[in-house]
Amino acid sequence: MRAPLENNKDAERREAQDLAERTGVPLWGAFRVIRGELTLNELLKSMMRREKFQRLQKNGLDPDLAGHVASGSLPQWRATVLQDMRVAGRAKFTRDRIEMAWRENLPTALWAFGQEDWVSGFIKRARTYDFMFDAVNTSEPVSIFKHDVKMLCHPDDLETIRSQRRFDKRVLTEGLGASRDRKDRYRPTDQSLSNARSSGESVRWVFRDGSGIDGRILAFGRWDIDIVVMADAPAPATLFFHALHPATAKQIQRLTG
């Protein structure tokens, strides 16, 4: 009773060896094709993904990002940007800077719509759409909607950032403020942000109320951008996409063509 089984194995082995020789696929893969576990085309695509994954890793791309690029779910240019941003301190593309400041109990200065100047204090509780802010020299925390905030920074950097505030007269005359409606908001594309970041030049970020700030891109995520305001002492800050006016597009285009 064993001879037929052995004959079948011998036939399978010969067929797999023949397929491997004809196509250049590894013998283990040829066996899987012969057994019907996957098609030859699927095997070849899998091998190409693996080869691309290994090449990307060898060139310095993190394994998780290399896996997404190899599978086709993430463009290589964006993976490179995300990896650079990790080095810059942004571990996650979807990181929430307000929640981070709350959880780490970081002193925070914020500039919101309707405020002539920045206020400093601590974020006491962050929720999905709002947070409690305990400002210096106030009796109790107040609730602030996230879409009302234009920028955040560390209080130690306020002097530098204040000195670099700018105003766009045309946008000022529109009389705009914060908006809850997504259709009112402007968000630059990841590609344009990546190009502007690569230029190393400062961008004029124009907010909906006509105020603005000059700063070069350090990193960006889904909801915000980390910038460096260049002055006598460079100062890092975070600004939010929901606060930007479309006039910013011209400033970015000036750098990226």
Side-chain angles (χ1 to χ4, degrees):
M1 297 294 292
R2 293 178 60 84
L5 182 60
E6 292 175 355
N7 290 339
N8 288 340
K9 287 185 177 181
D10 288 341
E12 183 183 63
R13 185 180 299 108
R14 287 194 298 271
E15 190 175 357
Q17 289 173 337
D18 178 63
L19 180 63
E21 291 174 2
R22 285 189 292 105
T23 63
V25 300
L27 187 59
W28 61 266
F31 271 110
R32 294 195 64 189
V33 173
I34 297 302
R35 292 167 182 167
E37 297 175 5
L38 76 172
T39 66
L40 178 60
N41 189 47
E42 290 171 339
L43 174 62
L44 291 172
K45 287 183 177 179
S46 176
M47 291 174 60
M48 289 175 63
R49 286 195 298 270
R50 183 175 180 81
E51 181 181 350
K52 186 174 184 178
F53 172 77
Q54 292 174 337
R55 183 175 69 253
L56 290 168
Q57 268 198 297
K58 186 177 181 179
N59 291 338
L61 195 62
D62 289 347
D64 60 332
L65 295 174
H68 286 294
V69 174
S71 67
S73 62
L74 180 69
Q76 187 171 345
W77 70 265
R78 192 177 185 195
T80 302
V81 170
L82 291 175
Q83 179 156 305
D84 288 346
M85 290 194 302
R86 288 179 179 180
V87 177
R90 183 183 285 266
K92 293 183 178 180
F93 191 67
T94 55
R95 177 215 64 183
D96 185 328
R97 181 66 87 182
I98 290 175
E99 183 174 354
M100 285 178 61
W102 164 51
R103 294 191 180 280
E104 298 177 20
N105 196 35
L106 299 175
T108 302
L110 62 85
W111 191 18
F113 288 105
Q115 293 179 345
E116 292 186 4
D117 201 1
W118 292 68
V119 293
S120 299
F122 288 86
I123 295 172
K124 291 301 183 182
R125 175 69 181 177
R127 294 178 286 264
T128 303
Y129 300 108
D130 66 343
F131 60 94
M132 300 301 296
F133 190 71
D134 190 8
V136 175
N137 298 326
T138 57
S139 58
E140 59 184 22
V142 296
S143 176
I144 299 177
F145 285 104
K146 290 182 178 179
H147 65 252
D148 285 337
V149 180
K150 295 186 285 188
M151 291 184 67
L152 295 178
C153 75
H154 192 283
D156 291 349
D157 296 312
L158 262 182
E159 183 177 351
T160 296
I161 292 174
R162 280 194 182 107
S163 71
Q164 298 302 308
R165 285 184 296 183
R166 301 289 185 265
F167 294 92
D168 187 305
K169 293 181 179 179
R170 292 186 179 181
V171 178
L172 279 171
T173 61
E174 295 181 23
L176 300 177
S179 176
R180 298 186 182 186
D181 197 333
R182 291 182 181 274
K183 69 178 179 62
D184 293 337
R185 299 177 184 176
Y186 161 72
R187 186 194 190 286
T189 65
D190 288 352
Q191 183 70 72
S192 65
L193 290 170
S194 177
N195 292 342
R197 180 178 181 273
S198 297
S199 76
E201 300 292 330
S202 287
V203 175
R204 174 70 54 83
W205 305 99
V206 183
F207 297 119
R208 287 174 52 82
D209 61 359
S211 62
I213 194 80
D214 288 353
R216 63 178 180 83
I217 300 174
L218 177 64
F220 62 89
R222 182 177 178 182
W223 300 294
D224 54 33
I225 312 169
D226 295 328
I227 66 171
V228 176
V229 178
M230 305 304 294
D232 293 337
T238 297
L239 59 85
F240 295 90
F241 289 124
H242 62 240
L244 292 177
H245 187 278
T248 304
K250 295 180 180 179
Q251 305 297 326
I252 294 177
Q253 188 175 17
R254 179 177 59 84
L255 300 179
T256 61

